[in-house]
């Protein structure tokens, strides 16, 4: 039997800015680069992802001022396709103007090298894919989630890249893909999950009167408003939720976990429950890379072109910051996990049942 305790129930909402990305080969240089390490401070959640490899055609590359142009080689059903791209160089990357004849492409097409007056700039093909302009199919940009992990030091600050330097699962993934999927590339995404807030909502079955008194309701709301969740707990919660949601092939824990059943067994879940929270909401996306995330168990969000056309018609076109906001919305997974069973304590994460209605409506 469903039990509704309070008028207002609260969940912990965790979300991150867009991910930073690098190849596994970049790890070894990045770990020794103090400036790069500073840029990755706070990146404690990582995803190992993959997609069909996209490479640069060395014969096509040209540089005119700060405009880099060329062609990608992309494998499609009909065979290799050539897709033109454009990429604008940042003005102050290497202090000085790029040399028009100082440009080369790695023989395997994975990297472009540009010579400046004061040094060299290397641009990985995945950077050109995510930040350049090209008529690639959305499915060619999308990223399959293979593994979710965290890197948090016990006694001192540690970045996710430090964890990955000696990560046996990453080595296994690279070995598997080298042998069985050489036409795919493996990439690493790094998330901060620096944002956290409490989300209140009326819950669940609105046909039921709450069992709490008015005074108990006030005490409950005040307690939740004052609740704080430490960074280590937030990282552990985000990792567990993402594994549970995507069920990546190479993860072994949390894939089949029922969080409501595990509340008493997992310390980090029990601590959240003690703070009177009944749900966990985690947002994740890779919109800044122009990519959707997916796994065999979780499809990428489908873009409804008819809806987009209607939005464009009503707003006189979608461009600039509006387009970026829409892309972020369309490419973000919102994961809602109830931490109780409805018969223990109903919440909106179980679904909404309106007055005089017999059907429970999923919250998302």
């Amino acid at each position: 039997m469903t039990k509704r305790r309070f008028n207002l129930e609260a969940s912990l909402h965790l979300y991150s800015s867009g991910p930073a990305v690098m190849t596994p080969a970049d790890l070894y240089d990045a770990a020794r680069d103090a400036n790069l390490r500073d840029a990755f401070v706070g990146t404690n959640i990582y995803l190992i992802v993959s997609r069909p490899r996209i490479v640069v055609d060395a014969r096509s590359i040209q540089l005119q001022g700060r405009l880099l142009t060329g062609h990608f080689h992309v494998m499609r059903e009909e065979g290799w396709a050539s897709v033109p791209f454009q990429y604008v160089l940042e003005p102050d990357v290497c202090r000085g103007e790029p040399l028009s004849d100082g440009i080369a492409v790695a023989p395997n097409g994975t990297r472009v090298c540009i010579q400046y007056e004061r040094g060299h700039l290397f641009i990985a093909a995945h950077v050109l894919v995510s930040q350049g302009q090209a008529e690639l199919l959305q499915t060619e940009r999308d990223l399959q989630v293979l593994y979710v992990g965290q890197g948090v030091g016990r006694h001192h600050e540690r970045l996710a890249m430090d964890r990955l330097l000696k990560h046996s699962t990453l080595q296994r993934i690279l070995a598997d893909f080298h042998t069985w999927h050489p036409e795919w590339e493996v990439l690493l995404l790094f998330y901060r999950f620096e944002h956290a807030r409490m989300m209140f909502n009326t819950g669940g079955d609105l046909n039921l009167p709450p069992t709490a008194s008015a005074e108990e309701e006030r005490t409950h709301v005040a307690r939740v408003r004052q609740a704080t969740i430490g960074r280590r707990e937030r990282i552990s919660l985000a990792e567990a939720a993402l594994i549970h949601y995507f069920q990546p092939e190479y993860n072994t824990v949390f894939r089949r976990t029922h969080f409501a059943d595990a509340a008493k067994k997992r310390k980090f879940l029990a601590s959240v429950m003690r703070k009177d929270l009944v749900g966990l909401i985690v947002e994740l996306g890779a919109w800044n890379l122009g990519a959707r995330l997916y796994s065999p168990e979780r499809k990428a969000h489908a873009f409804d072109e008819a809806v987009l056309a209607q939005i464009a018609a009503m707003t006189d076109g979608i461009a600039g910051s509006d387009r970026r906001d829409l892309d972020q919305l369309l490419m973000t997974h919102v994961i809602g996990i109830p931490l109780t069973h409805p018969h223990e304590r109903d919440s909106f994460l179980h679904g909404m049942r309106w007055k005089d209605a017999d059907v429970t409506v999923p919250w998302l």
Side-chain angles (χ1 to χ4, degrees), residues 100-165:
S100 58
D101 59 345
I103 184 168
V105 178
N108 59 8
T110 60
R111 196 169 295 248
V112 175
C113 176
I114 300 174
Q115 184 178 353
Y116 280 74
E117 295 174 354
R118 300 184 182 180
H120 296 80
L121 172 66
F122 293 93
I123 308 174
H126 69 81
V127 173
L128 299 175
V129 170
S130 62
Q131 299 181 14
Q133 296 181 2
E135 295 297 324
L136 292 168
L137 303 176
Q138 183 58 55
T139 52
E140 293 167 346
R141 297 179 181 272
D142 293 343
L143 300 166
Q144 179 179 197
V145 179
L146 303 173
Y147 185 87
V148 178
Q150 63 162 293
V152 181
R154 291 185 177 274
H155 305 292
H156 56 82
E157 181 68 20
R158 185 171 72 162
L159 307 183
M161 68 171 68
D162 299 326
R163 174 76 178 94
L164 285 165
L165 282 170

Side-chain angles (χ1 to χ4, degrees), residues 103-232:
I103 184 168
V105 178
N108 59 8
T110 60
R111 196 169 295 248
V112 175
C113 176
I114 300 174
Q115 184 178 353
Y116 280 74
E117 295 174 354
R118 300 184 182 180
H120 296 80
L121 172 66
F122 293 93
I123 308 174
H126 69 81
V127 173
L128 299 175
V129 170
S130 62
Q131 299 181 14
Q133 296 181 2
E135 295 297 324
L136 292 168
L137 303 176
Q138 183 58 55
T139 52
E140 293 167 346
R141 297 179 181 272
D142 293 343
L143 300 166
Q144 179 179 197
V145 179
L146 303 173
Y147 185 87
V148 178
Q150 63 162 293
V152 181
R154 291 185 177 274
H155 305 292
H156 56 82
E157 181 68 20
R158 185 171 72 162
L159 307 183
M161 68 171 68
D162 299 326
R163 174 76 178 94
L164 285 165
L165 282 170
K166 299 178 180 180
H167 201 295
S168 60
T169 303
L170 173 59
Q171 295 179 25
R172 178 189 168 192
I173 290 171
L174 293 175
D176 285 350
F177 273 70
H178 176 75
T179 302
W180 307 112
H181 309 289
E183 74 282 10
W184 285 62
E185 64 180 332
V186 174
L187 298 172
L188 308 174
L189 306 186
F190 298 89
Y191 291 87
R192 285 189 168 82
F193 276 95
E194 66 270 50
H195 306 297
R197 63 182 178 181
M198 303 301 173
M199 290 190 66
F200 284 89
N201 206 310
T202 56
D205 188 344
L206 300 182
N207 294 289
L208 298 176
T211 60
S213 66
E215 180 60 31
E216 289 172 330
E217 184 88 37
R218 285 192 291 271
T219 301
H220 160 67
V221 172
R223 182 166 59 247
V224 172
R225 286 186 182 278
Q226 296 172 2
T228 57
I229 307 295
R231 177 165 180 77
R232 183 183 294 276

Side-chain angles (χ1 to χ4, degrees), residues 234-249:
R234 298 201 305 268
I235 294 300
S236 295
L237 288 166
E239 178 196 31
L242 294 174
I243 295 172
H244 175 74
Y245 180 77
F246 286 106
Q247 298 182 28
E249 176 184 354

